[in-house]
Amino acid sequence: MLTDDMIEQYLREHPDFFYRRPELVDRLTLPRPDDGAVSLVHLQLNRQRVRIEELEEEITTLMSLAASNDLTFHAFMDLQGKMLGTRCVVESLEAIYQTAQDLNLRSYVRFIDAPDDSYRIDRLNFQRFTTNHFNGKQAFLGRLKKVDRDALFGEASRAPEFGSYAVLSLSTQLGHGIMAFSSDDGGHFQPCMDTLFLRHLAVVLTYLVDTLPWRA
């Protein structure tokens, strides 16, 4: 006696079965609670139409991301050139801030042993954030709770409450620290995003911190 499992197994092992029996395709119907019985062909067409719509949406999203990434790429390339021409660390940090502003973002750079309070992060706050959010990685992307924003940037930083953040770890002669960017758009920075541009920027910044004076 044939069972459902036996039929399923046979069809899986012979995927060309309906190709060799095309007349059966038109006769097969599948009961659906919303539309009643529909033919297999009709169901396949619906699935193909849905998949085409999904692909069109994906292509639109990819084109938008490509345009955005192209702008970001050139902006960060220009930024690195400016940073390499600065005379001190503070000038480099100001260049980062200005580029972020041009991209409708905010930037934050903090070091445990920074000479200025405005660029300093508490050691315990840094360690706590590293443990809770980096999880062995060099970057965090996504939204932050108020307690994390205040711990990283300070209560007076005006960090957006409902925005998104990209936070990278730094290791310099000024101690460990962070370089971060924020957007008012809660979906701008997402965990799935690539951080190549930001990681390269962090390398350049680390080099400058270790070689330039804090102020000219």
Side-chain angles (χ1 to χ4, degrees):
M1 177 179 177
L2 286 176
T3 64
D4 292 347
D5 291 339
M6 294 171 63
I7 295 173
E8 178 183 352
Q9 182 64 30
Y10 178 82
L11 292 176
R12 288 181 180 276
E13 293 176 355
H14 301 81
D16 62 339
F17 175 78
F18 288 109
Y19 179 79
R20 293 183 283 106
R21 300 289 193 279
E23 69 281 1
L24 291 177
V25 176
D26 295 330
R27 297 179 59 184
L28 289 174
T29 59
L30 299 175
R32 301 186 64 181
D34 49 351
D35 299 330
V38 297
S39 70
L40 185 61
V41 173
H42 181 71
L43 183 62
Q44 290 175 330
L45 289 175
N46 280 340
R47 287 184 175 178
Q48 290 177 356
R49 182 163 54 249
V50 170
R51 182 54 183 156
I52 290 173
E53 292 174 354
E54 292 175 348
L55 290 173
E56 289 176 345
E57 291 179 0
E58 291 175 5
I59 291 173
T60 301
T61 301
L62 288 174
M63 291 177 64
S64 176
L65 287 174
S68 176
N69 285 340
D70 185 61
L71 174 63
T72 304
F73 172 77
H74 288 291
F76 276 96
M77 288 298 294
D78 290 342
L79 170 59
Q80 291 175 31
K82 293 176 182 177
M83 291 172 63
L84 291 172
T86 57
R87 300 170 297 166
C88 64
V89 175
V90 171
E91 285 185 4
S92 295
L93 301 182
E94 290 173 349
I96 294 175
Y97 175 82
Q98 184 58 55
T99 297
Q101 192 174 47
D102 293 342
L103 294 171
N104 294 319
L105 303 173
R106 293 189 182 96
S107 68
Y108 316 83
V109 180
R110 303 287 188 270
F111 304 100
I112 291 176
D113 297 322
D116 295 347
D117 290 343
S118 58
Y119 292 104
R120 191 176 299 146
I121 185 174
D122 179 78
R123 185 183 302 274
L124 290 179
N125 287 339
F126 172 81
Q127 292 174 345
R128 188 179 299 112
F129 184 86
T130 298
T131 301
N132 294 336
H133 295 284
F134 284 150
N135 295 321
K137 301 178 181 179
Q138 291 184 320
F140 166 84
L141 292 95
R143 299 190 178 190
L144 290 175
K145 296 180 180 178
K146 183 178 186 302
V147 63
D148 292 320
R149 299 196 306 269
D150 292 347
L152 289 181
F153 316 127
E155 296 182 10
S157 64
R158 297 186 299 110
E161 179 178 0
F162 302 106
S164 56
Y165 295 80
V167 185
L168 281 82
S169 176
L170 301 173
S171 180
T172 73
Q173 291 182 359
L174 296 176
H176 292 293
I178 57 103
M179 178 182 69
F181 294 87
S182 70
S183 169
D184 292 332
D185 179 3
H188 186 86
F189 293 112
Q190 301 182 26
C192 61
M193 293 176 60
D194 183 73
T195 58
L196 176 63
F197 299 155
L198 296 179
R199 285 186 282 116
H200 195 270
L201 182 63
V203 171
V204 174
L205 178 59
T206 299
Y207 167 76
L208 295 176
V209 169
D210 290 343
T211 57
L212 294 179
W214 178 254
R215 292 188 181 276

